[in-house]
Amino acid sequence: MKIEEEIGRLLLAKKLTLSCAESCTGGGIASLITSVPGCSDYFVGSVVAYSNEVKKALLHVSAETLEKYGAVSEETVTEMVKGAMKSLNSDCAVATSGIAGPGGGTPEKPVGTIWLAAAYKNEILTMKQEGDLGRTENVQKAIRNVLFLLYNKLK
């Protein structure tokens, strides 16, 4: 069984809902979740927040957090995942923010640095993904990793 199907099964069994807050994954998580028949019973929606303005306006990420830690940080994805649950009224959420590449990296945050968060009610798991495998693979790896974080939180 695919991870997105297993997550759907767990969400249905526990009568929970899911939302997404995606930056560098650009809607890829929502696309995978909605590829599962019957997902409308648990998936409420997604915000693709590529700009900091959207992160602030729709996901309630504070300007102070973005200024102090940057968009690619544990603090930002934590606020994104909480904001998704609040704005979309869901029990669970996942969030991603990172530097998919090939440009945009810095010595402190090189290309391939992606922060992930998965939340179930008030419990949040975060993970820092590192290593540049190329833009497409960086994004695909982030999608898989954040779904495994959520799966581990739900099981």
Side-chain angles (χ1 to χ4, degrees), residues 116-134:
L116 314 167
Y120 172 34
K121 307 214 179 205
N122 292 325
E123 299 176 35
I124 300 170
L125 288 175
T126 60
M127 175 186 164
K128 183 181 185 183
Q129 176 180 306
E130 298 178 282
D132 183 16
L133 304 169

Side-chain angles (χ1 to χ4, degrees), residues 48 70 87 99:
V48 178
S87 292
I99 306 158

Side-chain angles (χ1 to χ4, degrees), residues 41 47 86 123-124 146:
D41 291 335
V47 174
K86 180 180 177 181
E123 299 176 35
I124 300 170
V146 81

Side-chain angles (χ1 to χ4, degrees), residues 1-154:
M1 185 176 283
K2 295 178 181 174
I3 187 75
E4 61 271 20
E5 294 170 342
E6 193 61 29
I7 287 169
R9 186 187 65 72
L10 287 167
L11 290 167
L12 281 172
K14 295 172 184 272
K15 295 179 173 46
L16 299 172
T17 55
L18 173 66
S19 63
C20 301
E22 300 185 62
S23 186
C24 65
T25 49
I29 300 164
S31 179
L32 206 55
I33 294 294
T34 59
S35 72
V36 178
C39 65
S40 59
D41 291 335
Y42 52 84
F43 185 67
V44 297
S46 180
V47 174
V48 178
Y50 224 70
S51 74
N52 285 348
E53 289 70 30
V54 174
K55 287 177 180 73
K56 289 186 281 191
L58 299 181
L59 296 173
H60 313 288
V61 176
S62 75
E64 295 78 18
T65 296
L66 290 166
E67 189 176 311
K68 185 173 181 179
Y69 302 104
V72 181
S73 66
E74 183 175 27
E75 293 80 6
T76 294
V77 292
T78 298
E79 289 186 25
M80 286 172 69
V81 83
K82 289 177 184 177
M85 288 190 296
K86 180 180 177 181
S87 292
L88 299 170
N89 192 30
S90 65
D91 302 304
C92 306
V94 293
T96 61
S97 189
I99 306 158
T106 66
E108 299 80 31
K109 295 179 186 177
V111 171
T113 303
I114 301 174
W115 274 98
L116 314 167
Y120 172 34
K121 307 214 179 205
N122 292 325
E123 299 176 35
I124 300 170
L125 288 175
T126 60
M127 175 186 164
K128 183 181 185 183
Q129 176 180 306
E130 298 178 282
D132 183 16
L133 304 169
R135 183 177 184 84
T136 301
E137 190 52 39
N138 290 341
V139 169
Q140 291 304 310
K141 183 178 175 187
I143 292 168
R144 288 191 304 273
N145 281 336
V146 81
L147 289 177
F148 275 106
L149 277 182
L150 178 62
Y151 173 76
N152 287 327
K153 183 77 359 244
L154 291 173

